[in-house]
């Protein structure tokens, strides 16, 4: 399957056939990041190549999930938390939603599928093993990790969804964080707002399909500072209603980035880091024939190093 994908005449730059080289390099960088004092990592979706577009056989999809999780645990261990959120390519290609993904990602993971939170304290006692979305808290901050595959049994077009129960949970978390005078960061796979530029984002495939409902809820609060997304494999930044919306490029496609988020009392800093695989990065760049697409993936400098002041002109001063 990997060789067939790599040999396809039309490529988007994904180096799926080099995963056995690229993934260990990424994990070793994250291991060093953890050793430097980092609190946790979030994988915001598409750990593997399920869904509809890759046409991967179900058995191979399930095997790949187990291999991914095993390699991650072997490099990062199980004591440093890595929170996993599903993307559309984590949905089983034969249907069944994210059940296989949940089984693989939750196996032998003491903090992945329960309410234990390593960053500060457990701020959401309602989370249980069947729920992917959760809250992580510390002092003046609350990070809300959302499941954008909520209720989607099979992937047909890449879109995401936030269900009614999860919306109710999000509302309760926003109320609780406001009462605690905490600023909020959201993380989810698909997008809520249109990034800058025309023609590279598909309104039918790249967004939460009920995003206006989600945005209407967020508009009722003024302490949501940042919303982080993946899915579109590009670094971009946009603002709406006082919230900064940031997308991050893929680690498996030019420019092969992951993003460090540093949170301070009155400031958030976002910095992109490249996977240490320069030959694969050049190979990925050269494999995409779409004019200007690599520039979109890399994004402007503003989207690669972001500084957000969270205390100025706010009722929530920490």
């Amino acid at each position: 399957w990997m060789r067939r994908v790599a040999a396809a005449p039309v490529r988007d730059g994904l180096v799926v056939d080099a995963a056995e080289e690229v993934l260990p390099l990424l994990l070793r960088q994250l291991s060093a990041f953890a050793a430097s004092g980092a609190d946790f990592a979030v994988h915001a979706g598409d750990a593997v190549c399920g869904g509809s577009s890759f046409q991967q056989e179900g058995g191979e999809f399930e095997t790949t999930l187990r291999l991914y999780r095993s390699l991650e645990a072997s490099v990062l261990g199980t004591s440093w938390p890595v929170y996993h959120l599903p993307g559309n390519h984590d949905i089983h290609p034969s249907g069944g939603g994210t059940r296989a993904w949940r089984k693989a990602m939750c196996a032998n993971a003491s903090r992945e599928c329960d309410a234990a939170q390593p960053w500060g304290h457990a701020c959401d006692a309602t989370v249980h093993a069947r729920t992917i979305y959760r809250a992580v808290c510390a002092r003046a901050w609350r990070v809300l990790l959302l499941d954008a595959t909520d209720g989607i049994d099979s992937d047909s077009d890449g879109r995401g969804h936030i269900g009614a129960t999860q919306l109710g949970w999000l509302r309760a978390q926003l109320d609780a964080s406001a009462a605690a005078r905490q600023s909020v960061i959201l993380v989810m796979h698909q997008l809520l707002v249109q990034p800058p530029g025309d023609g590279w984002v598909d309104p039918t495939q790249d967004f939460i399909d009920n995003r206006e409902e989600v945005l209407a809820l967020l508009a009722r609060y003024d302490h949501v500072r940042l919303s982080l997304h993946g899915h579109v494999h590009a670094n971009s930044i946009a603002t709406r209603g006082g919230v900064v919306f940031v997308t991050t490029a893929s680690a498996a496609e030019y420019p092969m980035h992951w993003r460090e988020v540093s949170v301070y009392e009155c400031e958030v800093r976002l910095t992109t880091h490249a996977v240490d695989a320069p030959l694969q990065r050049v190979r990925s760049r050269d494999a995409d024939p779409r004019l200007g697409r690599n520039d979109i993936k890399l994004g402007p400098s503003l989207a690669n190093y972001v500084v957000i002041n969270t205390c100025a002109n706010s009722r929530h001063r920490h």
Side-chain angles (χ1 to χ4, degrees), residues 101-227:
W101 177 90
R102 290 171 187 243
K103 182 179 180 180
M105 294 302 172
C106 296
N108 303 316
S110 60
R111 290 190 175 97
E112 177 64 31
C113 296
D114 59 29
Q117 307 293 347
W119 195 38
H121 61 280
C123 55
D124 179 19
T126 65
V127 169
H128 52 74
R130 295 183 301 277
T131 303
I132 297 172
Y133 51 87
R134 62 192 61 247
V136 184
C137 295
R139 299 176 299 279
W141 288 91
R142 187 172 299 217
V143 181
L144 303 181
L145 309 175
L146 303 184
D147 174 14
T149 66
D150 196 356
I152 299 177
D153 186 69
S154 61
D155 172 50
S156 60
D157 53 16
R159 64 179 174 81
H161 184 76
I162 305 293
T165 299
Q166 187 175 184
L167 277 173
W169 173 87
L170 176 58
R171 183 181 301 109
Q173 287 295 317
L174 292 172
D175 287 340
S177 55
R181 302 179 67 82
Q182 293 173 315
S183 292
V184 168
I185 297 173
L186 306 174
V187 188
M188 69 201 79
H189 186 68
Q190 287 92 339
L191 279 58
L192 287 173
V193 303
Q194 173 76 40
D198 297 324
W200 68 277
V201 173
D202 189 329
T204 66
Q205 298 182 6
D206 293 333
F207 292 91
I208 305 292
D209 61 6
N210 61 328
R211 62 184 177 126
E212 293 302 333
E213 187 178 10
V214 179
L215 289 168
L217 174 60
L218 299 181
R220 295 168 49 186
Y221 303 87
D222 69 353
H223 64 298
V224 181
R225 308 301 185 192
L226 173 65
S227 189

Side-chain angles (χ1 to χ4, degrees), residues 22 26 29-30 233-236 247-260 271-276 281 294 296-300 303-305:
V22 174
L26 170 63
Q29 285 181 267
L30 290 179
H233 296 197
N235 296 316
S236 75
T247 67
T248 298
S250 170
E253 179 179 357
Y254 179 85
M256 302 179 72
H257 279 175
W258 59 278
R259 194 179 289 272
E260 177 181 350
T271 307
T272 56
H273 299 285
V275 178
D276 187 18
R281 188 158 55 249
N294 285 322
I296 292 172
K297 294 175 188 177
L298 179 60
N304 280 263
Y305 182 69

Side-chain angles (χ1 to χ4, degrees), residues 259-273:
R259 194 179 289 272
E260 177 181 350
V261 181
S262 302
V263 177
Y264 304 93
E265 187 176 20
C266 286
E267 188 175 85
V268 182
R269 299 177 188 171
L270 291 80
T271 307
T272 56
H273 299 285

